[in-house]
Amino acid sequence: MALVVHKYGGTSVADAGRIKNVARRIIKARERGDQVVVVVSAMGDATDDLIALAYQVSEKPSSRELDVLLSTGEIVSSTLLTMALQNMGHPAISLNGAQAGIVTDSSYSRARILKVESQRVVKELDKGNIVIVAGFQGITDGMDVTTLGRGGSDTTAVALAAALGARACERYTDVEGIFTADPRLVPEAQRLDEISYEEMLEMATYGSKVIHPRAVELGELYNIPILVASSFTDNPGTLIHGEVKVEARNKARGVAHDFDVAKITVVGVPDRPGIASAIFVPLAEAGISVDTIVQNASIENITDLTFTVAKSQLARAMEVVQPIARSIGARECVSDSRLGKVSVIGSGMQNAPGYAARMFRTLSEEKINIQLITTSEIRITCIIAEDRVKDAVQALHRAFELDVEES
Ligand code: ADP
Ligand code: ASP
Ligand code: MG
């Protein structure tokens, strides 16, 4: 008997009716002869609601308590799904992250899975149970509850699939797979039949929140194929895996976007060794992840240093950077929180000239100002004004002919 791990996102378990729909889908998979482990997200907007509640009782909720609070969202959905399955006559049991053996480090709100101690899950499968695991959470060696970062249930699912030797991980959501751009922004976006781990990792990291980047990373590491498909239909979905044929015709695979970009510029920095480390080491120590970094060419040994962070981290980053800027003799520190980014991604872009030019020309024709540019071998990203992101995504999708159906 093969084992498969299913994962259902928040929209798919948003109310009692949808939970029963998911239960029926799981039973179908079970009746095809597979053993099934299921990972669920919290119902609908439950996680956002819990965060809002925490901030109603405290300006600065402690990170430990916040993680325990947020972990309850997934406990609600996992128990309800288990009850629905039992009520339909199928043996099932719910396990929280700790019971499922998801052991993490102790970085609250963004913990990383260190190991999966899967004995309990295996024992329950052997008893004939369908095992429903609360996603997004784990436990430290010291028995404190942690969460894995927003969207982290995907990571729980792939980590369990790897630990259990599952044949695949199937991630069910409210879209029919991975599209060439977010279908909410680009109605003409096309569903991809397949995509490589490498390309999906860039798409997810640069804003395609349909799957968590860490889940894709783990999939690649353990060679677990990940199917992304709809929980509302039986259509085929998109397979994320390692043996994708090289696409000769259209070398760009997709456009990703992210509205969550803020920028800090330290103006008039003396250009001498040690300055970058004086700024970025304390930021790292404060747990702030810095994305794009650009240092201008210096004029008379004075330069500007610009970097981006998530909007939610801007205030904290400014608190850290302002005193440092003063102490190193910089002129001032300025910030802008109304930015976003657009990226064009595709492994065929490697060593192929003209992609960057096409991207810049397209944005210029739309009169969209590019503030910063970063690239990897298979991606070009431009930081632009937040209110132009939608136009940029639509124009790039057309310019790279992603709206043309593959034959
Ligand atoms: P879930 O509730 O299943 O966790 P999410 O809302 O987290 O679902 O993720 C699914 C959403 O991701 C889709 O509704 C879609 O708007 C968005 N999305 C962003 N980029 C893409 C893409 N390239 N392909 C498909 N969906 C995308
Ligand atoms: N419920 C969590 C969130 O909303 C985790 C997840 O859905 O994967 O981010
Ligand atoms: Mg989600």
Side-chain angles (χ1 to χ4, degrees), residues 109-128:
S109 82
R110 54 193 161 87
R112 283 173 75 92
I113 298 177
L114 300 175
K115 59 185 170 189
V116 178
E117 291 171 346
S118 56
Q119 315 83 291
R120 177 71 190 274
V121 176
V122 172
K123 199 167 102 191
E124 297 301 339
L125 287 170
D126 288 346
K127 285 197 230 161

Side-chain angles (χ1 to χ4, degrees), residues 7 10 41-42 47 74 136 149-154:
K7 188 256 156 166
S41 286
T47 308
E74 271 68 11
F136 173 58
R150 298 305 305 266
S153 298
D154 295 344

Side-chain angles (χ1 to χ4, degrees), residues 60 146 251 319:
K60 265 194 181 166
T146 53
K251 288 166 181 163
E319 271 172 33

Side-chain angles (χ1 to χ4, degrees), residues 92-103:
I93 185 168
S94 70
L95 298 176
N96 65 22
Q99 292 171 310
I102 311 290
V103 180

Side-chain angles (χ1 to χ4, degrees), residues 275-325:
I275 292 292
S277 107
I279 293 175
F280 293 113
V281 171
L283 282 168
E285 282 167 355
I288 294 165
S289 24
V290 171
D291 189 22
T292 308
I293 302 175
V294 177
Q295 183 178 330
N296 288 351
S298 65
I299 300 167
E300 290 174 3
N301 276 332
I302 299 288
T303 184
D304 295 342
L305 197 69
T306 300
F307 60 92
T308 61
V309 294
K311 282 176 185 161
S312 58
Q313 299 209 301
L314 177 62
R316 180 85 192 93
M318 282 296 270
E319 271 172 33
V320 173
V321 171
Q322 268 165 333
I324 301 170

Side-chain angles (χ1 to χ4, degrees), residues 42-53:
M43 293 170 71
D45 297 328
T47 308
D48 291 325
D49 297 344
L50 289 171
I51 294 173
L53 252 173

Side-chain angles (χ1 to χ4, degrees), residues 58-98:
S58 162
E59 279 154 33
K60 265 194 181 166
S62 99
S63 47
R64 180 190 183 278
E65 300 310 319
L66 200 53
D67 273 21
V68 180
L69 177 69
L70 297 193
S71 73
T72 63
E74 271 68 11
I75 294 175
V76 171
S77 51
S78 62
T79 50
L80 290 173
L81 178 56
T82 304
M83 292 174 199
L85 283 162
Q86 290 168 342
N87 191 51
M88 291 175 190
H90 287 263
I93 185 168
S94 70
L95 298 176
N96 65 22

